[in-house]
Amino acid sequence: MNKKTIWITGASTGIGKALSIKFANEGWNVAISARRENLLKEISNSSENIHDFPLDVTDKSKCNEVFNDIKKKFQNIDICFFSTGTWNPKKEKDIDVEQIENVFKVNFFGTLNSIKAVEEYFKNKKAGIITIVSSIAGYRGLPNTTGYGPSKSALISLAESLYFDFERHN
């Protein structure tokens, strides 16, 4: 029996890191991606089931390249878990348009770039799971989230919209 495979973005810390370790301990092939290569290497060195694929999700072509590398290595991907995110509460105290644009570039467009990289693969396969991590801040305004909250709200709407688009492909 072939091992199942999961690709996790935002895997250098937090939920992504914890999930990487959990799936590896369950015997899955775990492909992890994030910008901080040193942290990815540390995590991949902790388990023979974890393999690092450094990635800045704001780079569309790199998202495609990394996904193709993962397909080449494992042949089959069962789950994509996109948990990329950035938030700096100190920088979000004021309306800083450049800061908000950067947060959207990572949180929303970075996730969208990742989804686009796997779209045809999953539609053609007619199986698999794409998971998008959002936040409670996407449902309700919270202090110091001028960019973070709206970016997570956009992810919630994206996920709800994509559900219908992918549903017809199983």
Side-chain angles (χ1 to χ4, degrees):
M1 182 172 113
N2 290 336
K3 288 167 99 173
K4 290 193 174 209
T5 301
I6 183 171
W7 178 28
I8 302 171
T9 64
S12 60
T13 60
I15 294 169
K17 178 181 177 181
L19 199 63
S20 300
I21 294 165
K22 178 177 178 17
F23 273 85
N25 289 340
E26 296 288 327
W28 284 56
N29 291 316
V30 181
I32 59 172
S33 294
R35 287 174 292 174
R36 292 179 282 183
E37 292 184 42
N38 59 327
L39 295 177
L40 286 181
K41 199 50 92 182
E42 215 174 273
I43 297 163
S44 67
N45 288 338
S46 72
S47 171
E48 64 182 21
N49 292 335
I50 301 176
H51 307 271
D52 57 297
F53 295 84
L55 173 64
D56 178 347
V57 295
T58 64
D59 183 336
K60 292 176 202 171
S61 62
K62 190 71 173 166
C63 286
N64 291 323
E65 181 184 317
V66 166
F67 183 62
N68 286 329
D69 290 345
I70 293 168
K71 280 192 305 189
K72 199 177 299 178
K73 182 167 183 70
F74 299 112
Q75 279 81 49
N76 186 49
I77 292 90
D78 301 283
I79 299 174
C80 288
F81 187 88
F82 299 133
S83 63
T84 304
T86 188
W87 177 51
N88 184 335
K90 290 179 184 174
K91 288 186 176 181
E92 294 210 14
K93 287 184 178 182
D94 299 311
I95 299 173
D96 179 339
V97 174
E98 287 180 13
Q99 168 65 16
I100 294 168
E101 286 175 347
N102 182 60
V103 170
F104 264 84
K105 187 176 179 181
V106 174
N107 294 2
F108 180 76
F109 289 105
T111 301
L112 188 59
N113 291 339
S114 301
I115 293 166
K116 185 63 183 168
V118 305
E119 176 186 22
E120 289 306 312
Y121 173 81
F122 281 111
K123 283 182 176 179
N124 292 334
K125 184 179 170 185
K126 297 194 181 297
I129 297 170
I130 298 172
T131 300
I132 301 169
V133 175
S134 184
S135 168
I136 190 71
Y139 290 103
R140 180 180 177 94
L142 297 172
N144 303 331
T145 63
T146 56
Y148 181 80
S151 74
K152 294 300 186 171
S153 182
L155 283 176
I156 292 166
S157 181
L158 176 68
E160 291 173 349
S161 297
L162 288 177
Y163 173 81
F164 298 106
D165 297 336
F166 277 86
E167 184 180 38
R168 65 179 160 254
H169 299 282
N170 197 27

